[in-house]
Amino acid sequence: PVGKVTHYYGKSEVAIVELAAPLKVGDKIKFEGHGSDFEQTVGSMEVEHEAVKEAKKGNVVGLKVAQKVREGAMVLMVE
């Protein structure tokens, strides 16, 4: 797994993800579990409210998501 969703903000459609592996803009990811099951390409990502192109393992990032995700959903890399 790339990470785990720790929070979701519905109004801004942003998922907060605690990373277990590096992630960068352009990566294809999948949200799975807790009623979430969809794939998307990372379009924009923020760390501490600053836009970043890539984030390291251990970072907590905000990701713009295409659909609602629930806390606890896993984030997986799509080959």
Side-chain angles (χ1 to χ4, degrees):
V2 176
K4 184 176 176 181
V5 176
T6 59
H7 203 80
Y8 174 70
Y9 295 99
K11 278 190 177 164
S12 51
E13 298 177 323
V14 168
I16 304 302
V17 178
E18 196 171 303
L19 295 181
L23 184 67
K24 56 184 182 287
V25 171
D27 283 346
K28 194 159 166 101
I29 56 174
K30 177 176 183 162
F31 291 90
E32 196 172 82
H34 295 269
S36 307
D37 189 18
F38 65 96
E39 293 180 6
Q40 77 170 55
T41 301
V42 178
S44 68
M45 182 165 57
E46 290 188 357
V47 175
E48 303 280 331
H49 302 285
E50 299 255 338
V52 295
K53 294 282 184 214
E54 53 188 88
K56 300 182 190 82
K57 174 182 176 177
N59 284 155
V60 176
V61 299
L63 293 177
K64 188 82 167 156
V65 289
Q67 297 177 31
K68 179 178 178 168
V69 293
R70 290 203 167 81
E71 291 172 18
M74 297 307 291
V75 182
L76 309 169
M77 194 66 74
V78 176
E79 294 301 321

